[in-house]
Amino acid sequence: FSLKDEEMELFTKYYVEWKGGRKSGSTSYTNIPRFYYRLPAEDEVLLQKLREESRAVFLQRKSRELLDNEELQNLWFLLDKHQTSPMIGEEAMINYENFLKVGEKAGPKCKQFFTAKIFAKLLHNDPYGRISIMQFFNYVMRKVWLHQTRIGLSLYDVAGQGYLRESDLENYILELIPTLPQLDGLEKSFYSFYVCTAVRKFFFFLDPLRTGKIKIQDILACSFLDDLLELRDEELSKESQETNWFSAPSALRVYGQYLNLDKDHNGMLSKEELSRYGTGTLTNIFLDRVFQECLTYDGEMDYKTYLDFVLALENRKEPAALQYIFKLLDIENKGYLNVFSLNYFFRAIQEQMKIHGQEPVSFQDVKDEIFDMVKPKDPYKISLQDLINSSQGDTVTSILIDLNGFWTYENREVLVASDNDNTGDVDDT
């Protein structure tokens, strides 16, 4: 072993240490835990079965960790027993000391809810430093419900990767129908149309890039599942049903409109048939763009494509709806609307005004008003983000695609005055 070799070894050792490398003899790199597990291929049937069984066992275990009805009732009893006076109106309160006592008695499943962080989160200006028992109990119920729903949705996650495909969500909703009393009156023959109607809302708003799958996390975070499960309430008011996309009256309304538009009864809608949608005042140029950009079959639209169209036009304030309409307005596919695009669509509104015997409004005036409303970053271009940020997207799109929408905007002051007069009449009487 020569001196030169020894020098080289020492140099390497000190150099590595100086550079922040691992010390000689350290084997920590061999202890890095495995973090990638390959998914079984389609032909590896045994591995796939093993993975499915493992997930099912895991989900069952998670389900058993949740509070059941009896345990929730016991929790309420303990909270009520340890309430701290005085009450605020009829609201029972509890201080931190009693809160911890309940946590000790409630059992191991409840331990996660009895933390200082959760107590502080629910603390609202009480002079005695207490929280509402009802608010805390509702918080626990909401958490339990979210976990139950997550487990329920995960059972339909065939790929086991935290998202649902369209067919997965269809199966979930189909099997949910018998548990929703508000849907008891639905004919079984209508189930497939109902499921299609319900699933479209999830995918229209939660899958803007049209990947064909939605994260379970996103489904839980949005309000759609709340709306769907609201149908468990047997006493749900007529007003609530009419505004709930998932209710039987709403689904039958949308499907009924589709059948009424389908004059030749071939199950599809042509451009001419769709032109009678709503008030029948959508412009031909806009309808041409719908049929150019959206999925059609031999130039006709099926029910699923129609649902996207309805969701976009009925929710024009929402970013997903504006994205749908913006794509149709962006005729040059440049990612923005310029004066040419606006003029292209507004010309059709002017033509319709002439047909109805009205004096056409100057495009120059309308263009200036649109740019004033949106206030885009670039004074010559309107991007989708500009439209969303302005909170005027619904008004702008209505002006460009729908004569009735433009007329409502143009006569807004007259309509407001008319409403005020009506209110005055009511007050007088």
Side-chain angles (χ1 to χ4, degrees):
F1 198 66
S2 71
L3 190 63
K4 196 172 181 183
D5 290 337
E6 194 179 346
E7 279 179 359
M8 193 65 199
E9 189 179 28
L10 283 167
F11 172 80
T12 306
K13 177 192 166 190
Y14 291 127
Y15 181 79
V16 168
E17 282 181 23
W18 176 69
K19 288 290 283 183
R22 65 179 190 277
K23 289 181 182 174
S24 181
S26 167
T27 57
S28 65
Y29 68 95
T30 63
N31 299 324
I32 295 172
R34 183 175 175 186
F35 57 87
Y36 173 73
Y37 293 87
R38 181 180 65 82
L39 289 174
E42 282 183 25
D43 57 342
E44 294 175 314
V45 180
L46 195 60
L47 282 176
Q48 281 191 340
K49 286 285 177 196
L50 177 65
R51 189 164 183 272
E52 283 170 27
E53 285 300 314
S54 303
R55 283 188 69 252
V57 169
F58 169 75
L59 292 171
Q60 282 166 10
R61 190 172 76 242
K62 284 289 177 192
S63 192
R64 285 195 296 272
E65 288 171 11
L66 298 176
L67 294 167
D68 58 29
N69 284 342
E70 196 177 318
E71 288 163 327
L72 284 166
Q73 282 174 358
N74 181 51
L75 175 61
W76 177 255
F77 170 75
L78 286 170
L79 287 166
D80 195 44
K81 191 179 173 185
H82 288 80
Q83 62 177 275
T84 314
S85 56
M87 292 174 74
I88 296 181
E90 293 183 10
E91 190 91 35
M93 311 293 283
I94 189 168
N95 65 16
Y96 189 58
E97 190 183 341
N98 286 353
F99 177 76
L100 292 178
K101 282 180 188 172
V102 174
E104 286 168 18
K105 294 179 182 178
K109 283 189 187 178
C110 292
K111 193 178 177 183
Q112 59 176 310
F113 299 115
F114 288 88
T115 65
K117 189 176 179 182
I118 289 173
F119 188 90
K121 191 187 283 187
L122 298 173
L123 192 60
H124 299 299
N125 303 325
D126 180 66
Y128 304 98
R130 305 166 303 167
I131 63 169
S132 157
I133 284 175
M134 181 58 84
Q135 278 185 15
F136 173 69
F137 189 70
N138 284 340
Y139 173 84
V140 173
M141 291 270 284
R142 176 75 182 167
K143 284 287 180 185
V144 171
W145 177 83
L146 276 172
H147 285 300
Q148 276 175 342
T149 311
R150 178 162 200 152
I151 291 166
L153 287 167
S154 297
L155 290 169
Y156 292 85
D157 174 11
V158 177
Q161 291 188 284
Y163 61 76
L164 297 184
R165 299 167 307 177
E166 211 162 320
S167 57
D168 301 331
L169 194 56
E170 282 171 357
N171 291 333
Y172 173 75
I173 290 175
L174 185 62
E175 290 177 30
L176 197 65
I177 291 175
T179 70
L180 305 173
Q182 286 293 343
L183 300 180
D184 283 348
L186 280 186
E187 296 284 335
K188 286 208 168 171
S189 58
F190 185 66
Y191 277 13
S192 60
F193 293 102
Y194 174 80
V195 168
C196 181
T197 307
V199 168
R200 257 354 273 160
K201 179 155 190 178
F202 283 95
F203 274 84
F204 182 81
F205 288 103
L206 301 182
D207 181 28
L209 300 177
R210 304 293 177 254
T211 60
K213 57 190 181 187
I214 308 175
K215 283 184 187 172
I216 290 175
Q217 215 171 332
D218 291 344
I219 295 174
L220 292 169
C222 76
S223 63
F224 302 159
L225 218 49
D226 288 339
D227 295 343
L228 184 59
L229 297 175
E230 188 180 51
L231 304 179
R232 285 176 176 165
D233 181 2
E234 294 183 33
E235 306 297 316
L236 195 64
S237 68
K238 194 178 177 187
E239 290 77 17
S240 296
Q241 288 188 56
E242 283 172 1
T243 56
N244 187 334
W245 175 266
F246 303 102
S247 71
S250 175
L252 289 165
R253 169 185 69 84
V254 175
Y255 187 62
Q257 285 172 348
Y258 182 78
L259 292 181
N260 287 336
L261 292 172
D262 181 20
K263 286 296 176 192
D264 60 6
H265 308 297
N266 69 341
M268 310 278 272
L269 297 184
S270 65
K271 185 192 138 189
E272 189 186 338
E273 287 170 331
L274 188 65
S275 69
R276 296 198 317 280
Y277 172 80
T279 52
T281 52
L282 291 170
T283 66
N284 276 330
I285 283 177
F286 175 68
L287 291 168
D288 284 340
R289 288 292 294 147
V290 171
F291 279 82
Q292 282 166 16
E293 288 290 334
C294 299
L295 180 64
T296 55
Y297 303 87
D298 294 328
E300 296 207 315
M301 177 186 283
D302 71 346
Y303 184 55
K304 198 182 279 189
T305 308
Y306 173 74
L307 287 171
D308 283 348
F309 176 80
V310 172
L311 284 163
L313 294 189
E314 286 190 1
N315 300 277
R316 290 182 214 186
K317 285 183 185 291
E318 298 296 323
L322 287 174
Q323 182 182 342
Y324 176 99
I325 299 172
F326 186 88
K327 188 181 176 188
L328 302 176
L329 297 177
D330 182 14
I331 44 174
E332 297 175 286
N333 207 21
K334 288 181 173 177
Y336 60 81
L337 307 180
N338 53 20
V339 175
F340 173 79
S341 321
L342 300 182
N343 189 29
Y344 181 79
F345 283 95
F346 192 71
R347 260 205 327 258
I349 296 283
Q350 290 172 318
E351 283 166 17
Q352 279 198 350
M353 291 180 82
K354 284 178 191 169
I355 292 167
H356 287 86
Q358 298 171 349
E359 187 66 35
V361 176
S362 155
F363 168 69
Q364 205 61 34
D365 294 343
V366 171
K367 183 242 334 172
D368 291 344
E369 285 183 39
I370 288 174
F371 274 89
D372 284 346
M373 274 192 277
V374 178
K375 297 182 177 63
K377 283 184 180 176
D378 184 322
Y380 301 102
K381 299 172 184 174
I382 297 174
S383 70
L384 173 60
Q385 201 54 52
D386 290 329
L387 214 50
I388 293 168
N389 293 345
S390 71
S391 301
Q392 299 288 337
D394 56 323
T395 305
V396 171
T397 52
S398 297
I399 288 170
L400 295 172
I401 67 174
D402 182 3
L403 177 62
N404 197 48
F406 172 73
W407 185 88
T408 304
Y409 169 74
E410 192 66 6
N411 294 278
R412 61 197 179 284
E413 288 163 8
V414 177
L415 293 170
V416 169
S418 170
D419 283 347
N420 290 341
D421 289 346
N422 292 338
T423 309
D425 294 343
V426 171
D427 291 343
D428 293 342
T429 55

